Amino acid sequence: MKIFVTVKQVPDTSGKVAVKADGTLDRASMQTITNPDDLNAVEAALTLKDEYGYKVVAFCMGPPPAEPMLRELIAMGVDEAVLISGREFGGSDTYATSQIIAAAIDHYGIEEDDIILAGRQAIDGDTAQVGPQIAEKLGLPQITYAGDIKKEGNTLTVKRILEDGYMMIKVQTPCMITCIKELNTPRYMTVSGVLGAWEKPLTIYDYPTLQDHPLIDKSTIGLKGSPTNIYKSFTPPQKGVGTMLKGDGKDTTNELASILAAKHII
Ligand SMILES: Cc1cc2nc3c(=O)[nH]c(=O)nc-3n(C[C@H](O)[C@H](O)[C@H](O)COP(=O)(O)OP(=O)(O)OC[C@H]3O[C@@H](n4cnc5c(N)ncnc54)[C@H](O)[C@@H]3O)c2cc1C
């Protein structure tokens, strides 16, 4: 019984965002963090582990400096971390990324009771495509925007949170679920977890490990195999300061109404 959690290391965009001359993120000069939604996915996995005894395995595709992030997840309670890393994988877009992660999870071995948890969205790429694409490539059912997950046998009941309400969905395992921040509050690392985190082996999946998997084909991974091309990137101009209306409620309401009427908005 396993839970696979996909975890991406992302630049910390809450601080100063460094952009290179070509408009791409200068990742090397920025601090990195664990993608926030992925910590909610890890917490959901650990909560299910506490209750039902799952083995939790984190999968990250990224360069070797992602290792300390994976060690932090082990210190939180993750049982094993797999780093998918290799030059052949570099420059992958979401299509190629999900293909490689799907192959890696399948290579590890998916069984009837297993669950794949991903964050809803990465704060750098922001597409929210990778989790659903992993499910598609593995032929698994998927539920996105999970705000609650309950287990009964090999059926999960998931509360799917939408802008204007929610849906309750039952799904059979194996399945893939994307997690949002409303799901839980991620736990801290424990002291014993931190002390033991570097003792545990880190599993590395490089290109030779995965090259014979049917999903892995040099023409569909890496920069050359990625169908998405960045045509242009730019920093949007800052919005103006806006207009402040001062006075009591009646005056400002009338003034606002006449401004909107002048612009033909009302
Ligand atoms: C042409 C091109 C080249 C690119 N080259 C690079 C590059 O060299 N380096 C780079 O960092 N990005 C690169 N990107 C961006 C990269 O495609 C995306 O960041 C990546 O595919 C994930 O998409 P996303 O960030 O939108 O993730 P989302 O789909 O928003 O992520 C959803 C969830 O999927 C999981 N997930 C996503 N990515 C990973 C991952 N790598 N490992 C584990 N779990 C993950 C996480 O759980 C995450 O919360 C490139 C993009 C393009 C179009």
Side-chain angles (χ1 to χ4, degrees):
M1 232 168 58
K2 302 181 292 301
I3 302 180
F4 304 110
V5 192
T6 60
V7 186
K8 185 178 183 190
Q9 192 181 41
V10 293
D12 183 0
T13 49
S14 67
K16 194 166 176 281
V17 176
V19 180
K20 290 194 274 192
D22 63 2
T24 60
L25 275 181
D26 185 1
R27 291 169 190 270
S29 73
M30 292 171 69
Q31 297 279 356
T32 54
I33 55 168
T34 308
N35 183 54
D37 283 350
D38 299 355
L39 287 175
N40 298 104
V42 169
E43 177 58 38
L46 296 176
T47 304
L48 287 164
K49 172 186 167 178
D50 293 343
E51 206 165 338
Y52 301 102
Y54 281 98
K55 176 180 183 185
V56 178
V57 187
F59 279 79
C60 170
M61 185 175 109
E67 179 174 354
M69 175 195 77
L70 290 170
R71 299 281 175 199
E72 285 179 12
L73 302 181
I74 292 171
M76 284 171 73
V78 164
D79 297 293
E80 185 180 352
V82 178
L83 179 61
I84 311 160
S85 202
R87 278 182 196 287
E88 295 83 351
F89 304 139
S92 291
D93 67 359
T94 60
Y95 180 88
T97 300
S98 56
Q99 186 130 309
I100 297 161
I101 297 174
I105 292 174
D106 195 38
H107 178 79
Y108 193 99
I110 306 174
E111 292 163 310
E112 183 133 351
D113 290 324
D114 294 350
I115 306 168
I116 302 173
L117 297 180
R120 172 193 53 177
Q121 192 162 336
I123 58 168
D124 55 348
D126 247 358
T127 65
Q129 291 174 356
V130 171
Q133 285 185 355
I134 291 172
E136 283 296 314
K137 278 158 191 165
L138 294 173
L140 298 179
Q142 57 174 283
I143 299 181
T144 50
Y145 312 133
D148 190 38
I149 303 172
K150 293 266 182 305
K151 174 178 158 64
E152 291 149 28
N154 67 347
T155 303
L156 301 176
T157 305
V158 180
K159 183 175 186 179
R160 181 170 189 255
I161 304 210
L162 304 168
E163 265 178 31
D164 53 355
Y166 64 88
M167 299 162 82
M168 298 302 291
I169 302 178
K170 281 189 189 290
V171 62
Q172 290 224 318
T173 59
C175 62
M176 194 290 309
I177 298 170
T178 71
C179 303
I180 58 175
K181 70 173 188 311
E182 289 76 7
L183 180 56
N184 52 41
T185 304
R187 66 189 68 186
Y188 291 109
M189 295 176 268
T190 62
V191 175
S192 60
V194 172
L195 294 175
W198 287 86
E199 308 294 322
K200 292 206 179 177
L202 181 73
T203 307
I204 307 283
Y205 282 3
D206 56 8
Y207 177 72
T209 313
L210 298 176
Q211 66 178 345
D212 293 331
H213 191 280
L215 283 173
I216 299 292
D217 177 336
K218 268 207 170 146
S219 66
T220 56
I221 60 165
L223 187 60
K224 283 196 184 142
S226 293
T228 322
N229 286 305
I230 300 170
Y231 166 67
K232 184 180 172 186
S233 77
F234 62 93
T235 309
Q238 287 206 333
K239 287 190 179 156
V241 287
T243 306
M244 293 291 290
L245 303 180
K246 289 186 180 150
D248 67 23
K250 197 173 167 208
D251 289 345
T252 50
T253 308
N254 288 339
E255 198 181 343
L256 177 62
S258 47
I259 292 171
L260 294 176
K263 290 180 186 286
H264 303 290
I265 295 171
I266 56 172

